[in-house]
């Protein structure tokens, strides 16, 4: 299974990637968690642009993300190889992040779809639907400077709109599990597991049965 977690900044994708992986491992599945931008050369370049150490217009960054994604997928020991070995891959962000964030920066959605065409569609996309207010509170609580809160709020609202638009196209989504990301970590994990059981039980009965158990592994 190739599982993607998506959501706004502070939505909880990193937290739930870790919890979902821990849960699946307790049930005997081999998992590999990863994130985008990846740790590879293109991912590092993209990260230095995001962090402001390098400047690049939005179209260049979009191409950088797309190049990183293809590298991350097809390199030795990349996502494709892991999946072929039967490992469950859970990635913190994937194509939808590019569609949402880069179209919020004014790039054309169809062009973004085009440059990502070589990226395989995941089996499941988990969208953590966390309110902009809660995202801002969490970003603030983890000590990031929010010097321009109004600007950040507007940007998040815009990105949220683009996410919903991109999700509605169904491209690069696979089976969609939407979880209300505003609750406790345990509550969000429970929703993800329930949503996955519902979406997957026809494909994989054991997974549906497994998920009727209460979640474990909450750190
Ligand atoms: N359900 C939750 N309830 C309370 N706090 C949470 C919850 N989920 C995550 N957090 C906390 O909120 C902060 C942001 O969470 P996390 O890093 O998982 O978000 P993210 O979606 O990965 O953000 P980014 O996209 O910016 O990396 C962290 O400090 C995390 O511990
Ligand atoms: Mg994160």
């Amino acid at each position: 299974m190739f599982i993607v977690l998506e959501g706004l900044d502070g939505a909880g994708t990193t937290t739930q990637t870790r919890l979902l992986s821990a849960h699946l491992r307790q049930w005997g599945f081999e998992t590999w968690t990863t994130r985008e931008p990846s740790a590879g050369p293109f991912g590092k370049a993209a990260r230095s642009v995001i962090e402001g150490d390098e400047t690049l217009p939005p179209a260049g960054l979009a191409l950088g993300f797309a190049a990183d994604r293809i590298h991350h997928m097809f390199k030795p020991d990349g996502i494709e190889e892991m999946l072929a070995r039967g490992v469950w891959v859970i990635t913190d962000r994937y194509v939808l992040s590019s569609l949402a964030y880069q179209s919020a920066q004014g790039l054309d959605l169809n062009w973004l779809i085009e440059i990502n065409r070589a990226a395989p569609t995941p089996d499941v996309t988990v969208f953590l639907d966390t309110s902009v207010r809660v995202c801002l509170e969490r970003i603030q609580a983890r000590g990031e400077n929010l010097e321009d809160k109004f600007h950040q709020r507007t940007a998040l609202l815009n990105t949220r709109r683009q996410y919903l638009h991109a999700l509605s196209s169904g491209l690069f989504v696979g089976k969609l599990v939407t979880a209300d990301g505003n609750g406790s970590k345990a509550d969000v994990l429970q929703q993800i597991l329930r949503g996955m059981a519902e979406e997957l039980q026809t494909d994989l009965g054991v997974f549906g049965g497994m998920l009727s158990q209460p979640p474990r592994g909450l750190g």
Side-chain angles (χ1 to χ4, degrees):
M1 285 274 162
F2 177 26
I3 303 166
V4 172
L5 274 91
E6 291 282 356
L8 295 175
D9 298 286
T13 60
T14 302
T15 301
Q16 294 300 328
T17 296
R18 182 174 58 77
L19 293 178
L20 179 59
S21 171
H23 179 83
L24 291 173
R25 276 171 180 264
Q26 280 184 329
W27 285 93
F29 291 84
E30 200 182 336
T31 64
W32 182 55
T33 59
T34 184
R35 65 170 185 170
E36 289 195 359
S38 78
F42 301 101
K44 279 190 190 132
R47 211 169 277 282
S48 69
V49 175
I50 300 169
E51 286 165 7
D53 300 329
E54 200 73 63
T55 50
L56 190 66
L61 181 59
L63 290 164
F65 279 129
D68 175 50
R69 188 160 294 132
I70 297 310
H71 178 256
H72 189 206
M73 176 63 62
F74 298 111
K75 69 174 184 156
D77 293 331
I79 295 174
E80 184 190 51
E81 281 193 12
M82 289 296 182
L83 291 170
R85 285 179 216 157
V87 176
W88 288 46
V89 176
I90 310 173
T91 176
D92 183 352
R93 301 191 174 284
Y94 190 57
V95 182
L96 280 170
S97 285
S98 279
L99 303 186
Y101 282 84
Q102 267 65 59
S103 66
Q105 288 189 313
L107 295 176
D108 177 60
L109 181 62
N110 288 323
W111 180 72
L112 292 165
I113 290 168
E114 207 52 50
I115 62 172
N116 281 285
R117 208 169 274 289
T121 295
D123 295 298
V124 178
T125 294
V126 175
F127 179 61
L128 295 182
D129 197 5
T130 309
S131 73
V132 166
R133 185 180 57 77
V134 169
C135 289
L136 284 170
E137 281 169 11
R138 289 185 191 159
I139 295 168
Q140 206 161 27
R142 81 183 164 191
E144 249 170 63
N145 65 338
L146 271 185
E147 76 261 23
D148 190 352
K149 197 166 174 179
F150 175 78
H151 182 82
Q152 190 147 3
R153 185 172 178 278
T154 309
L156 284 176
L157 282 167
N158 191 17
T159 306
R160 181 186 152 79
R161 206 167 33 240
Q162 299 300 340
Y163 251 124
L164 297 178
H165 183 57
L167 281 166
S168 73
S169 81
L171 291 171
F172 305 106
V173 174
K175 290 187 166 152
L176 176 64
V177 171
T178 301
D180 177 349
N182 297 302
S184 70
K185 293 178 187 182
D187 177 54
V188 177
L189 177 63
Q190 183 73 269
Q191 282 187 61
I192 294 171
L193 296 173
R194 213 179 288 133
M196 287 183 69
E198 253 171 55
E199 286 296 331
L200 298 176
Q201 63 195 359
T202 52
D203 293 347
L204 205 58
V206 63
F207 194 58
M210 176 189 89
L211 295 174
S212 65
Q213 304 293 324
R216 293 191 249 165
L218 276 161

